[in-house]
Amino acid sequence: MSDTHAIGARRALAPARPREAVRPPNGAGFGLSRYKRFASSIVILLLWQGASMAGLIAPRTLAAPTTIVATAWELILSGELPHNLLVSLGRVAAGLVIGVSSGVTLALIAGLSKRGEEIVDAPMQMLRTLPFLALVPLFILWFGIGEAPKIALVSLGSAFPVYLTLFAGIRGTDPKLMEAGRVFGLDRAGLIRHVVLPGALPSGLVGLRYALGSALLSLVIAEQINATAGIGFLINDARDFLRTDVIVVGLVVYALLGLLADALVRTVERRALAWRPNLIKG
Amino acid sequence: MSDQRNVSVRGLTRRFGSNTVLHGLDLELEPGSFTALLGRSGSGKTTLLRTLAGLDPAPAEAAIDLPDRVAAVFQEPRLLPWKRIWANVALGLSGADPKERAERALGEVGLARHLEAWPATLSGGEAQRAALARALVREPRLLLLDEPFAALDALTRIRMHALVLDLWRAHGPTTLIVTHDVDEAVLLADRVLVLDAGRIAADIAVDMPRPRSHGDAGFVALRRRLLSELGLEAEVIREAA
């Protein structure tokens, strides 16, 4: 788990870089530089297409880009892709609901009371060091090979990042703000509601971003376990028939899910953290 | 405000480990008076203020009598960054129409146009005015100011002095300002206390008409006297003056 967190951390800690910063001052060159960014990717695609058409890359090694696009279109029209995507999304959603809500609950228990911390934090810190994907064999023995181990894996992958960041956020509350709250008549419940939780929200949302990345990774691994539907099933099935075009379509869908997850958290952040100085100006 | 009680502290001793910060301190404040508490760092002035604000527990052997409504302004504004200005002022208010009362208080400190602003968008002076409004809206009987202008630039500080005096005259809370700035103490207060080694070492009445300025007769003499109470040698004072 520590590996995946490190990756997630880097992505989350290099935050939404203000796009203005990249834009040249006069703004006129913006459109051009934007296309420039994609130029090398397009060249690579063209080379790939050319190599495929010239027979340098066999279809069973890697299908041509045009074939992949056509296959994607077919898969969408036949309903195969939407169906499998829905199954995968259902797994992520169920796993996230369980994982995020248990992460939040445990963080609140450990963060808001000393005894809660004594009970919850030590086992969580110990479990966190375990690479959770290594639990797959155990999960299969416990939950069989149906939906349960897949959802459990996604839950586990998403619970820890939320727990760790929210717990740290709660404990990082500015004592000066707590004092001000006390002077102005807030009781314990009021302090938690008006000072502690809003203050912990930014790091909690960073945790949510890690959690979504981790959930997606868990999904990929989980769908290798004897799945009969889902994007992972689509990929595994295609492997048996040497359909590299279908495999690439599946990979692209996974990538799009990652982008979508990131955009989702950013939207939530923009709304929930509108008070932050760097967001006010943007 | 006729039922306003005196602020009275008797025999307040505070120790942190082997270090005695307040040493059997006695303090009486007249209702509606404006008192400045001067002292070097480590003299115990912040500890006294925190005890009066209820942030540090009062030791059982001390007799402390305070009004019910105490409000404080700290050196930093301590606004909650995630609440708009009016919501910061209305924080913890009970009773009818907290928003309307918060808006009125913000109007009094000249922030009527910033009700919906986020704290991070305010300047240092504006944020400190919002902190003043947050204290005022509670209609405190005792207003504690803990070096509230120390972090502001000189011009802003002059404006804040005038504002604090206006608000004090309009609302009449017993006011205690902790400061290490002798000029600020003489400009604002009716009475200046010098705290030294956990005791009140000097208690000096300031009867100069307001508004006061550095050029007033008596200002320089009073300033010199306070500085020497604070332990500055006579030559140093003359050089500084």
Side-chain angles (χ1 to χ4, degrees), chain A residues 236-247:
Chain A
N236 277 349
D237 199 41
R239 184 198 57 203
D240 293 343
F241 295 98
L242 306 176
R243 291 285 304 270
T244 53
D245 52 343
V246 179
I247 292 177

Side-chain angles (χ1 to χ4, degrees), chain A residues 75-99:
Chain A
L75 287 170
I76 292 169
L77 285 185
S78 70
E80 209 175 335
L81 185 60
H83 166 69
N84 285 305
L85 181 59
L86 273 180
V87 171
S88 288
L89 282 178
R91 284 173 189 147
V92 176
L96 274 175
V97 167
I98 298 170

Side-chain angles (χ1 to χ4, degrees), chain B residues 121-135:
Chain B
T121 62
L122 297 189
S123 70
E126 286 168 340
Q128 205 54 310
R129 276 190 275 158
L132 258 177
R134 181 175 57 179

Side-chain angles (χ1 to χ4, degrees), chain B residues 83-107:
Chain B
K83 284 188 184 292
R84 294 185 189 274
I85 294 304
W86 75 262
N88 260 290
V89 173
L91 185 74
L93 274 189
S94 51
D97 270 329
K99 183 168 186 183
E100 199 178 297
R101 282 153 64 203
E103 288 176 1
R104 218 178 309 135
L106 281 164

Side-chain angles (χ1 to χ4, degrees), chain A residues 32-239:
Chain A
L32 188 66
S33 70
R34 186 180 204 173
Y35 291 121
K36 262 188 203 157
R37 267 176 63 83
F38 293 108
S40 60
S41 314
I42 290 167
V43 169
I44 291 170
L45 266 178
L46 288 174
L47 284 176
W48 175 6
Q49 180 70 32
S52 294
M53 285 165 74
L56 293 173
I57 303 176
R60 58 189 296 173
T61 306
L62 193 58
T66 46
T67 317
I68 292 166
V69 171
T71 305
W73 187 240
E74 271 169 40
L75 287 170
I76 292 169
L77 285 185
S78 70
E80 209 175 335
L81 185 60
H83 166 69
N84 285 305
L85 181 59
L86 273 180
V87 171
S88 288
L89 282 178
R91 284 173 189 147
V92 176
L96 274 175
V97 167
I98 298 170
V100 171
S101 57
S102 48
V104 168
T105 310
L106 289 170
L108 291 179
I109 293 171
L112 297 178
S113 86
K114 199 77 211 152
R115 189 177 299 167
E117 181 183 356
E118 281 161 11
I119 296 169
V120 172
D121 194 53
M124 287 300 278
Q125 298 291 349
M126 275 186 250
L127 283 175
R128 158 184 97 92
T129 61
L130 195 71
F132 71 104
L133 295 175
L135 287 173
V136 168
L138 211 51
F139 273 26
I140 292 175
L141 289 179
W142 291 348
F143 303 114
I145 50 173
E147 287 302 290
K150 300 175 178 64
I151 292 171
L153 205 62
V154 174
S155 309
L156 198 69
S158 53
F160 280 94
V162 170
Y163 169 81
L164 293 170
T165 53
L166 192 59
F167 175 65
I170 290 173
R171 283 305 162 95
T173 306
D174 183 355
K176 291 184 167 180
L177 293 183
M178 292 291 273
E179 276 185 6
R182 273 165 58 203
V183 168
F184 294 116
L186 292 183
D187 56 8
R188 198 176 140 71
L191 284 173
I192 290 172
R193 187 176 148 212
H194 295 292
V195 184
V196 176
L197 293 185
L201 191 62
S203 58
L205 285 175
V206 170
L208 184 64
R209 204 187 281 191
Y210 290 49
L212 287 175
S214 182
L216 209 61
L217 193 65
S218 312
L219 177 80
V220 173
I221 302 298
E223 291 192 333
Q224 311 278 324
I225 317 167
N226 204 29
T228 52
I231 300 298
F233 162 75
L234 202 67
I235 292 176
N236 277 349
D237 199 41
R239 184 198 57 203

